[in-house]
């Protein structure tokens, strides 16, 4: 899947994009249970989709793209 397998924990490698989008954020390599708890508390983020569509993160990405 677009070479993203190494960005995921082992159990999520090979899953469809839809399955991964609905997976908990801990499906992303390097995101711990503690990180997931903090994301949920601060931003209501529980899934990879929530993380990828969070307005604050998208705004930050847009600003960085403009700056670069």
């Amino acid at each position: 899947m677009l070479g993203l397998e190494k960005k995921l924990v082992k159990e999520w490698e090979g899953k469809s994009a839809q399955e991964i989008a609905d997976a908990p954020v801990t499906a992303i390599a390097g995101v711990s249970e503690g990180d997931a708890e903090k994301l949920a508390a601060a931003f209501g983020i529980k899934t990879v989709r929530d993380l990828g569509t969070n307005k604050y993160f998208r705004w930050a990405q847009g600003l960085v793209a403009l700056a670069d």
Side-chain angles (χ1 to χ4, degrees):
M1 182 184 73
L2 304 172
L4 296 176
E5 291 83 7
K6 299 297 180 193
K7 308 281 191 273
L8 303 170
V9 296
K10 198 83 164 153
E11 77 177 90
W12 289 97
E13 290 179 9
K15 303 279 186 183
S16 72
Q18 291 78 12
E19 289 174 299
I20 295 166
D22 293 329
V25 291
T26 54
I28 299 172
V31 178
S32 70
E33 288 291 338
D35 296 332
E37 290 172 9
K38 290 174 183 164
L39 286 167
F43 299 105
I45 293 170
K46 296 178 184 165
T47 66
V48 173
R49 183 183 312 277
D50 294 341
L51 183 63
T53 59
N54 178 275
K55 67 181 179 182
Y56 302 111
F57 297 140
R58 293 180 76 163
W59 293 346
Q61 287 175 337
L63 289 165
V64 169
L66 289 171
D68 291 344

